Amino acid sequence: LAALGPSTCSRARFSPSLVESCRSLRYEVPYELRHVADPFVDPLCDTLAEGHWALFLIVIANVACYLPALANSGRWSISRQSLSHERLLMYQLAHANLPHITGNMLTLLAVGSEVSGALGCNQLLLLALYLACGWAGGFAAALLSDARTVGASGSVSGVIVALSVLRPTSAVHILGDVNASNPLLLLLGTLGADLSRGGVSWQAHLGGGAAGCVLAWLLTLVG
C-alpha cells in the first residue's frame, strides 16, 4: 500500500488560478496578523495545488473554529463528564492558543500529503482516518484523565503513526526548520517538546497514535 501513489494527486489537482487566489489570501489578512497567517499560506496552498483537498478543508475548519472555541472552550472540550460523539468531533477543532493550533496544523500539512499519497490520494479515506484518530484520542483522554482536553493532537499523532506504518522510511520536513528521517522520530520529537511545556494530554496522543497504527495496518492488509 505504501507504493500506491505519489505525494501529488495528479487527478485531483486544482487550477493554477485557484491556487494563486489561495496564495493571495495573505494580503487579505490585517497587517498586524500577517505574521500569524504567513506560515500557513504557502504550505496550505501547496496542498491544494497537489490535490490534497481534505488537508485543505481540515486546516480551514480548524482556523475557522479557533476563535469561537477559544471564547467558550467549555462547550468544545472533551472530558469524562461531557463524553459524546458530538464532543469527540468538536474538541478536535478547538485549540488552547496560537502555538497549539500552529504546531498541529503545520505538522499535519507536513505529513498529510505523504499519507494521502500512500492512500492512493483517496481524500475521503484520509479524512476518515484523521477523524477516527481524533475520536480515539478524545475517548482515551476522557477515560484516562480528569482534565478537559482540546486540540487536534490526537488526530495528528494518528496520522504520523499511520505514515510510519504506510511509509516507514519517509523523511519529514516542516518549513525547513524541523527535519526527521522518519515519521516516528518526528512524533517523538514533537511529543517531547509538547510534554516539556506541560499541560499536554499524553492520553490523546496515545489514543490517536494507537488508532492510526491499527487503521494503517488494516489498510495494508486490504491493500
Side-chain angles (χ1 to χ4, degrees), residues 55-88:
L55 296 176
F56 184 86
L57 289 182
I58 289 168
V59 174
I60 292 299
N62 275 269
V63 171
C65 292
Y66 174 66
L67 289 179
L70 193 64
N72 197 353
S73 61
R75 296 191 62 182
W76 291 71
S77 61
I78 190 71
S79 67
R80 196 171 301 163
Q81 293 73 31
S82 64
L83 187 59
S84 67
H85 289 295
E86 180 183 15
R87 286 295 184 91
L88 286 168

Short mmCIF file of all heavy atoms in Angstrom, two decimals, residues 55-88:
data_model
loop_
_atom_site.label_atom_id
_atom_site.label_comp_id
_atom_site.label_asym_id
_atom_site.label_seq_id
_atom_site.Cartn_x
_atom_site.Cartn_y
_atom_site.Cartn_z
N LEU A 55 -6.84 17.83 3.33
CA LEU A 55 -5.96 18.57 4.24
C LEU A 55 -6.34 20.05 4.26
O LEU A 55 -6.35 20.69 5.31
CB LEU A 55 -4.50 18.41 3.81
CG LEU A 55 -3.92 17.00 3.87
CD1 LEU A 55 -2.51 17.00 3.31
CD2 LEU A 55 -3.93 16.47 5.29
N PHE A 56 -6.62 20.58 3.09
CA PHE A 56 -7.04 21.99 2.99
C PHE A 56 -8.28 22.25 3.82
O PHE A 56 -8.34 23.21 4.61
CB PHE A 56 -7.29 22.33 1.52
CG PHE A 56 -7.64 23.78 1.27
CD1 PHE A 56 -6.64 24.72 1.10
CD2 PHE A 56 -8.96 24.18 1.20
CE1 PHE A 56 -6.96 26.05 0.86
CE2 PHE A 56 -9.30 25.50 0.96
CZ PHE A 56 -8.29 26.44 0.80
N LEU A 57 -9.29 21.38 3.69
CA LEU A 57 -10.52 21.56 4.44
C LEU A 57 -10.31 21.43 5.95
O LEU A 57 -10.91 22.16 6.74
CB LEU A 57 -11.57 20.55 3.97
CG LEU A 57 -12.16 20.77 2.58
CD1 LEU A 57 -13.22 19.71 2.29
CD2 LEU A 57 -12.76 22.16 2.44
N ILE A 58 -9.46 20.49 6.36
CA ILE A 58 -9.19 20.29 7.79
C ILE A 58 -8.58 21.55 8.39
O ILE A 58 -9.00 22.02 9.46
CB ILE A 58 -8.27 19.08 8.00
CG1 ILE A 58 -9.01 17.78 7.70
CG2 ILE A 58 -7.75 19.05 9.44
CD1 ILE A 58 -8.09 16.56 7.62
N VAL A 59 -7.58 22.10 7.71
CA VAL A 59 -6.92 23.30 8.24
C VAL A 59 -7.88 24.48 8.27
O VAL A 59 -7.95 25.22 9.27
CB VAL A 59 -5.67 23.64 7.41
CG1 VAL A 59 -5.06 24.96 7.87
CG2 VAL A 59 -4.64 22.52 7.52
N ILE A 60 -8.64 24.68 7.21
CA ILE A 60 -9.60 25.79 7.16
C ILE A 60 -10.64 25.65 8.28
O ILE A 60 -11.01 26.63 8.94
CB ILE A 60 -10.30 25.84 5.79
CG1 ILE A 60 -9.30 26.24 4.71
CG2 ILE A 60 -11.48 26.81 5.81
CD1 ILE A 60 -8.68 27.61 4.89
N ALA A 61 -11.11 24.43 8.52
CA ALA A 61 -12.09 24.20 9.58
C ALA A 61 -11.51 24.53 10.95
O ALA A 61 -12.17 25.14 11.80
CB ALA A 61 -12.58 22.76 9.55
N ASN A 62 -10.27 24.13 11.18
CA ASN A 62 -9.63 24.42 12.46
C ASN A 62 -9.42 25.92 12.66
O ASN A 62 -9.65 26.44 13.76
CB ASN A 62 -8.28 23.69 12.56
CG ASN A 62 -8.42 22.27 13.05
OD1 ASN A 62 -8.36 21.99 14.24
ND2 ASN A 62 -8.62 21.34 12.12
N VAL A 63 -9.00 26.61 11.61
CA VAL A 63 -8.80 28.05 11.71
C VAL A 63 -10.13 28.77 11.93
O VAL A 63 -10.22 29.68 12.75
CB VAL A 63 -8.10 28.58 10.43
CG1 VAL A 63 -8.08 30.11 10.42
CG2 VAL A 63 -6.68 28.04 10.35
N ALA A 64 -11.18 28.33 11.23
CA ALA A 64 -12.49 28.96 11.37
C ALA A 64 -13.07 28.78 12.77
O ALA A 64 -13.77 29.65 13.28
CB ALA A 64 -13.46 28.39 10.33
N CYS A 65 -12.76 27.66 13.40
CA CYS A 65 -13.31 27.36 14.73
C CYS A 65 -12.44 27.88 15.86
O CYS A 65 -12.85 27.82 17.03
CB CYS A 65 -13.52 25.86 14.89
SG CYS A 65 -14.79 25.16 13.84
N TYR A 66 -11.25 28.37 15.56
CA TYR A 66 -10.30 28.73 16.60
C TYR A 66 -10.86 29.77 17.58
O TYR A 66 -10.90 29.54 18.80
CB TYR A 66 -9.00 29.23 15.99
CG TYR A 66 -8.02 29.76 17.01
CD1 TYR A 66 -7.44 28.91 17.95
CD2 TYR A 66 -7.70 31.11 17.05
CE1 TYR A 66 -6.55 29.39 18.90
CE2 TYR A 66 -6.81 31.60 18.00
CZ TYR A 66 -6.24 30.74 18.92
OH TYR A 66 -5.38 31.23 19.86
N LEU A 67 -11.31 30.90 17.08
CA LEU A 67 -11.78 31.96 17.97
C LEU A 67 -13.09 31.60 18.67
O LEU A 67 -13.22 31.83 19.88
CB LEU A 67 -11.92 33.28 17.19
CG LEU A 67 -10.60 33.95 16.79
CD1 LEU A 67 -10.87 35.23 16.00
CD2 LEU A 67 -9.76 34.27 18.02
N PRO A 68 -14.11 31.05 17.97
CA PRO A 68 -15.32 30.64 18.68
C PRO A 68 -15.05 29.64 19.80
O PRO A 68 -15.62 29.73 20.89
CB PRO A 68 -16.19 30.02 17.58
CG PRO A 68 -15.73 30.67 16.33
CD PRO A 68 -14.26 30.87 16.51
N ALA A 69 -14.16 28.68 19.55
CA ALA A 69 -13.85 27.69 20.58
C ALA A 69 -13.04 28.31 21.72
O ALA A 69 -13.23 27.94 22.88
CB ALA A 69 -13.07 26.53 19.96
N LEU A 70 -12.16 29.22 21.38
CA LEU A 70 -11.34 29.88 22.41
C LEU A 70 -12.22 30.70 23.35
O LEU A 70 -11.96 30.79 24.55
CB LEU A 70 -10.30 30.77 21.74
CG LEU A 70 -9.16 31.29 22.61
CD1 LEU A 70 -8.30 30.14 23.11
CD2 LEU A 70 -8.31 32.29 21.83
N ALA A 71 -13.28 31.29 22.79
CA ALA A 71 -14.16 32.12 23.59
C ALA A 71 -15.07 31.31 24.51
O ALA A 71 -15.59 31.83 25.50
CB ALA A 71 -15.02 32.99 22.68
N ASN A 72 -15.27 30.03 24.20
CA ASN A 72 -16.16 29.20 25.00
C ASN A 72 -15.65 27.77 25.02
O ASN A 72 -16.30 26.84 24.55
CB ASN A 72 -17.58 29.26 24.43
CG ASN A 72 -18.61 28.77 25.43
OD1 ASN A 72 -18.29 28.27 26.50
ND2 ASN A 72 -19.88 28.91 25.06
N SER A 73 -14.45 27.60 25.56
CA SER A 73 -13.78 26.30 25.49
C SER A 73 -14.55 25.21 26.23
O SER A 73 -14.44 24.03 25.88
CB SER A 73 -12.37 26.40 26.06
OG SER A 73 -12.40 26.79 27.43
N GLY A 74 -15.33 25.58 27.23
CA GLY A 74 -16.08 24.59 27.99
C GLY A 74 -17.09 23.83 27.14
O GLY A 74 -17.40 22.67 27.43
N ARG A 75 -17.59 24.46 26.09
CA ARG A 75 -18.58 23.81 25.22
C ARG A 75 -17.93 23.03 24.09
O ARG A 75 -18.62 22.32 23.35
CB ARG A 75 -19.52 24.86 24.64
CG ARG A 75 -20.36 25.57 25.69
CD ARG A 75 -21.46 26.40 25.06
NE ARG A 75 -22.39 25.58 24.31
CZ ARG A 75 -23.43 26.07 23.62
NH1 ARG A 75 -23.64 27.38 23.59
NH2 ARG A 75 -24.24 25.26 22.97
N TRP A 76 -16.61 23.16 23.93
CA TRP A 76 -15.90 22.47 22.87
C TRP A 76 -15.01 21.35 23.39
O TRP A 76 -14.65 20.45 22.64
CB TRP A 76 -15.05 23.46 22.07
CG TRP A 76 -15.83 24.43 21.25
CD1 TRP A 76 -16.57 25.48 21.73
CD2 TRP A 76 -15.97 24.45 19.84
NE1 TRP A 76 -17.16 26.16 20.68
CE2 TRP A 76 -16.80 25.56 19.51
CE3 TRP A 76 -15.46 23.67 18.81
CZ2 TRP A 76 -17.14 25.87 18.19
CZ3 TRP A 76 -15.79 23.98 17.49
CH2 TRP A 76 -16.62 25.07 17.19
N SER A 77 -14.62 21.41 24.64
CA SER A 77 -13.65 20.45 25.18
C SER A 77 -14.30 19.10 25.45
O SER A 77 -15.52 18.98 25.58
CB SER A 77 -13.03 20.99 26.46
OG SER A 77 -14.03 21.20 27.45
N ILE A 78 -13.44 18.09 25.56
CA ILE A 78 -13.90 16.74 25.89
C ILE A 78 -13.44 16.38 27.29
O ILE A 78 -12.34 16.74 27.71
CB ILE A 78 -13.37 15.70 24.86
CG1 ILE A 78 -14.04 14.34 25.05
CG2 ILE A 78 -11.87 15.56 24.94
CD1 ILE A 78 -15.48 14.31 24.64
N SER A 79 -14.28 15.73 28.03
CA SER A 79 -13.94 15.26 29.37
C SER A 79 -14.81 14.05 29.68
O SER A 79 -15.72 13.71 28.91
CB SER A 79 -14.17 16.35 30.42
OG SER A 79 -15.54 16.65 30.55
N ARG A 80 -14.56 13.43 30.80
CA ARG A 80 -15.36 12.26 31.19
C ARG A 80 -16.83 12.65 31.34
O ARG A 80 -17.73 11.88 31.01
CB ARG A 80 -14.81 11.70 32.50
CG ARG A 80 -15.27 10.29 32.82
CD ARG A 80 -14.50 9.75 34.01
NE ARG A 80 -13.06 9.74 33.75
CZ ARG A 80 -12.15 9.63 34.71
NH1 ARG A 80 -12.50 9.53 35.97
NH2 ARG A 80 -10.87 9.62 34.38
N GLN A 81 -17.08 13.86 31.83
CA GLN A 81 -18.45 14.30 32.07
C GLN A 81 -19.17 14.72 30.78
O GLN A 81 -20.40 14.68 30.72
CB GLN A 81 -18.46 15.48 33.06
CG GLN A 81 -18.02 15.14 34.48
CD GLN A 81 -16.52 14.89 34.59
OE1 GLN A 81 -15.74 15.48 33.84
NE2 GLN A 81 -16.13 14.02 35.51
N SER A 82 -18.42 15.12 29.78
CA SER A 82 -19.05 15.61 28.55
C SER A 82 -18.86 14.67 27.37
O SER A 82 -19.02 15.07 26.21
CB SER A 82 -18.47 16.98 28.19
OG SER A 82 -17.09 16.90 27.89
N LEU A 83 -18.54 13.42 27.65
CA LEU A 83 -18.23 12.47 26.59
C LEU A 83 -19.46 12.21 25.71
O LEU A 83 -20.51 11.77 26.19
CB LEU A 83 -17.74 11.15 27.20
CG LEU A 83 -17.22 10.08 26.24
CD1 LEU A 83 -16.04 10.61 25.44
CD2 LEU A 83 -16.82 8.84 27.01
N SER A 84 -19.33 12.51 24.43
CA SER A 84 -20.39 12.26 23.45
C SER A 84 -19.75 12.28 22.07
O SER A 84 -18.64 12.78 21.88
CB SER A 84 -21.48 13.34 23.53
OG SER A 84 -20.98 14.59 23.10
N HIS A 85 -20.47 11.75 21.08
CA HIS A 85 -19.94 11.74 19.72
C HIS A 85 -19.75 13.17 19.21
O HIS A 85 -18.77 13.45 18.50
CB HIS A 85 -20.89 10.98 18.79
CG HIS A 85 -20.90 9.50 19.02
ND1 HIS A 85 -19.79 8.71 18.78
CD2 HIS A 85 -21.88 8.66 19.47
CE1 HIS A 85 -20.07 7.45 19.07
NE2 HIS A 85 -21.33 7.39 19.49
N GLU A 86 -20.66 14.06 19.57
CA GLU A 86 -20.55 15.45 19.15
C GLU A 86 -19.28 16.09 19.70
O GLU A 86 -18.53 16.75 18.97
CB GLU A 86 -21.77 16.24 19.60
CG GLU A 86 -21.74 17.71 19.19
CD GLU A 86 -22.94 18.48 19.71
OE1 GLU A 86 -23.63 17.97 20.61
OE2 GLU A 86 -23.15 19.59 19.23
N ARG A 87 -19.03 15.90 21.00
CA ARG A 87 -17.84 16.48 21.61
C ARG A 87 -16.56 15.85 21.07
O ARG A 87 -15.52 16.51 20.98
CB ARG A 87 -17.89 16.32 23.12
CG ARG A 87 -18.88 17.23 23.82
CD ARG A 87 -18.48 18.70 23.67
NE ARG A 87 -19.36 19.56 24.42
CZ ARG A 87 -19.16 19.93 25.67
NH1 ARG A 87 -18.08 19.52 26.32
NH2 ARG A 87 -20.02 20.70 26.29
N LEU A 88 -16.62 14.56 20.72
CA LEU A 88 -15.45 13.89 20.18
C LEU A 88 -15.06 14.43 18.81
O LEU A 88 -13.93 14.25 18.36
CB LEU A 88 -15.68 12.38 20.10
CG LEU A 88 -15.64 11.65 21.45
CD1 LEU A 88 -16.17 10.24 21.31
CD2 LEU A 88 -14.22 11.64 22.02
#
